[in-house]
Amino acid sequence: MGTAAAHHAMTAGSVVLFDARAGYDGLEPLERLTPDVPFPESESAVDNGAGGAWGPTSPPAGPLPAAAQRWPGSTYKSPYPLSERLFIASFSYDPLIGEPNRNPPNQYGLYLVDAAGRRELLYRDPNLSSLWAMPIAPRPTPPALPSQLQPTLAAADEGTYFMQDVHRAWPPLPADTPIRALRILQVLPKTTPHANQPYVGLANASPGKQVLGTVPVEADGSAYFRAPARLPLAFQALDAEGRAVQTMRSITYLQPGEQVGCVGCHEQRTEAAPARQVAAARRAPSVIRPAPDGARPFSYPLLVQPVLDASCVSCHSGPTPDGGVDLTGRPDGHYTASYNALAPRVPYTAWGAPEGNWEPLAPPDKFGARASAFLTQLRAGHEGVVLDDEAWERLYTWADANALFYGTFEPADQLRQQAGERIAGPALE
Ligand code: HEC
Ligand code: HEC
């Protein structure tokens, strides 16, 4: 049981029942238990019987814009199921108001509600909303469980991740592309208040990142590795050349000494992983092989520019660079000339990006090095250029790290990175 809430308001709306057997996404698994309240922000408002969709406390001045009418005149919040048809919930007769408008009163009382939307008042405090009702009863104290934390790992401020089979993935990974490694990325805390102020790369509203390195994936798809505790980490499944086939769109943490397991990218929520012996479980955990210089803290001038200086600027510099492409590290706007030339040639994830290349569930191969026609052509051969393995790893690591430029949101440190200087690391690492 849950609350179907708005994206731009407090967590209140219509109460729904989930049936995971009916589907994974979309409306199929949902049954609305409170037909009197529409889904906020996505359905039209209903009259709350007390002065219209906006209630007596917020009389509309003139006709309401269409978007405003999508806010329900009354809402439910924090349901607690007693059965599939009967539950306790908080209910308010005040309309839900979306941001950025001022806070509405939203006065909540506690009700007993049934699946037909009938409600019986249990308790209402005239001065204070009553939320998160929970029936309680005396019961014996449960036994204390022994700690599962591994002391040696805890002392090293590390934990381990175990992955059973990378190939169990939704959406499916391409069948003809074996996964040979995982890249481990750290997502940086945002230390300035607004998205894009300042930008960390071309991608609109991109979170900052840095790259810890890679660990091997066994032929059967399993992996087992140590990783630092207390850092928000995400994983990329890499092909034999070290390019990301799929990217994790969320983060996970280890506590010191914690040992966490997962299944691929990922198993369906309604499935259990099969019990089986896998290769990575029969050996000691891998240690992360560090990414090239310039990946942590992340810095395009340190990660990518050395490759361009060694192999490209001989043709791509001066007043008439070949192809009209300047690949020097000279500052140009918020970035450098080479970054402004190369970053648009990498399909990066961005808020509002085309072809589904944005934060929600992404299809494999739409993103980063494998989706970049420029990098594919460079690999196939360009003007006799020969790059060694480390140079390719630098280019692929950069492209897969969302083609970022900066590894910090701090404006002073960004200026230093733009000039090619090293910074100690992002604040609040
Ligand atoms: C390269 C593919 C891939 C790998 C490998 C992967 N994940 Fe994920 N993970 C994802 C994607 C994609 C999402 C976001 C799914 C979504 O939001 O629908 C995700 C989400 C998560 C979440 C957030 C879940 C939530 O409800 O917000 C956690 C926690 C997580 N993964 C942990 C792990 C752990 C632990 C491992 C193995 C050590 C792992 N992941 C390996 C792709 C991957
Ligand atoms: C020997 C000279 C030479 C070297 C070295 C060289 N290029 Fe080029 N590059 C060219 C020429 C000539 C063109 C224009 C013709 C073309 O597009 O192939 C070009 C075009 C390009 C373009 C534009 C392609 C397009 O489709 O618009 C890019 C991007 C590029 N080079 C990147 C690089 C990178 C990255 C390197 C180093 C890894 C590099 N080049 C090394 C000669 C060179």
Side-chain angles (χ1 to χ4, degrees):
M1 199 169 278
T3 310
H7 183 61
H8 296 99
M10 60 157 36
T11 312
S14 209
V15 176
V16 289
L17 193 68
F18 296 95
D19 184 351
R21 295 164 302 183
Y24 177 71
D25 244 332
L27 289 176
E28 290 75 21
L30 299 185
E31 179 193 350
R32 184 182 351 225
L33 299 182
T34 50
D36 52 320
V37 175
F39 293 147
E41 234 178 331
S42 57
E43 285 183 327
S44 1
V46 291
D47 194 312
N48 69 357
W54 287 70
T57 50
S58 315
L64 290 178
Q69 291 173 9
R70 297 205 225 115
W71 299 101
S74 51
T75 53
Y76 290 91
K77 200 171 159 48
S78 52
Y80 189 102
L82 302 175
S83 74
E84 292 190 355
R85 317 312 292 171
L86 195 65
F87 50 99
I88 302 174
S90 299
F91 176 80
S92 168
Y93 285 97
D94 289 315
L96 186 65
I97 295 182
E99 64 184 28
N101 297 302
R102 68 185 168 79
N103 287 334
N106 282 321
Q107 182 64 54
Y108 286 91
L110 295 182
Y111 290 80
L112 183 67
V113 194
D114 74 9
R118 286 177 293 222
R119 51 179 183 268
E120 182 78 38
L121 179 64
L122 296 178
Y123 178 75
R124 186 176 273 284
D125 182 326
N127 299 314
L128 196 65
S129 279
S130 303
L131 303 172
W132 305 109
M134 183 184 289
I136 52 172
R139 59 194 164 114
T141 309
L145 298 173
S147 171
Q148 301 287 307
L149 300 179
Q150 217 274 342
T152 322
L153 286 169
D157 206 21
E158 290 184 333
T160 58
Y161 283 112
F162 169 76
M163 182 178 66
Q164 194 199 44
D165 181 5
V166 70
H167 301 106
R168 285 177 71 106
W170 184 259
L173 305 183
D176 57 352
T177 311
I179 302 301
R180 295 283 188 248
L182 293 182
R183 183 183 287 122
I184 297 144
L185 301 112
Q186 178 188 344
V187 177
L188 303 180
K190 185 83 166 71
T191 52
T192 49
H194 297 291
N196 296 335
Q197 289 176 18
Y199 279 92
V200 286
L202 280 196
N204 180 28
S206 185
K209 289 186 177 59
Q210 54 190 15
V211 184
L212 273 57
T214 55
V215 292
V217 170
E218 304 288 337
D220 64 3
S222 61
Y224 181 37
F225 55 99
R226 299 171 71 124
R230 301 178 296 107
L231 294 183
L233 301 179
F235 307 111
Q236 292 182 327
L238 306 187
D239 67 11
E241 292 180 30
R243 301 171 301 182
V245 177
Q246 182 59 298
T247 292
M248 185 158 143
R249 301 279 166 149
S250 193
I251 52 171
T252 171
Y253 287 81
L254 289 170
Q255 296 302 319
E258 195 181 12
Q259 302 168 87
V260 170
C262 64
V263 185
C265 335
H266 282 260
E267 82 278 28
Q268 287 277 8
R269 289 166 198 210
T270 50
E271 290 173 3
R276 65 186 177 91
Q277 275 288 324
V278 294
R282 291 191 285 265
R283 57 163 173 79
S286 317
V287 174
I288 295 171
R289 181 178 72 83
D293 182 42
R296 186 191 193 196
F298 195 89
S299 161
Y300 171 89
L302 295 177
L303 181 64
V304 176
Q305 193 60 45
V307 177
L308 310 182
D309 288 344
S311 307
C312 318
V313 297
S314 54
C315 302
H316 289 286
S317 60
T320 52
D322 277 354
V325 174
D326 182 346
L327 293 182
T328 65
R330 94 183 141 75
D332 180 14
H334 187 48
Y335 307 110
T336 57
S338 70
Y339 181 82
N340 288 331
L342 296 184
R345 292 177 150 90
V346 177
Y348 46 75
T349 298
W351 183 20
E355 287 191 68
N357 210 354
W358 52 314
E359 285 81 359
L361 195 66
D365 279 347
K366 287 268 181 198
F367 162 88
R370 277 171 66 93
S372 167
F374 146 67
L375 283 170
T376 308
Q377 280 159 19
L378 195 64
R379 183 87 188 181
H382 174 68
E383 304 291 327
V385 175
V386 177
L387 299 180
D388 63 15
D389 287 350
E390 190 192 320
W392 286 117
E393 187 179 5
R394 285 170 176 269
L395 293 177
Y396 292 159
T397 301
W398 166 65
D400 289 345
N402 217 24
L404 294 182
F405 187 92
Y406 292 107
T408 173
F409 291 101
E410 297 302 321
D413 274 345
Q414 286 201 341
L415 279 175
R416 294 173 55 208
Q417 286 202 316
Q418 188 189 25
E421 292 171 32
R422 287 176 191 278
I423 61 167
L428 296 177
E429 196 189 337

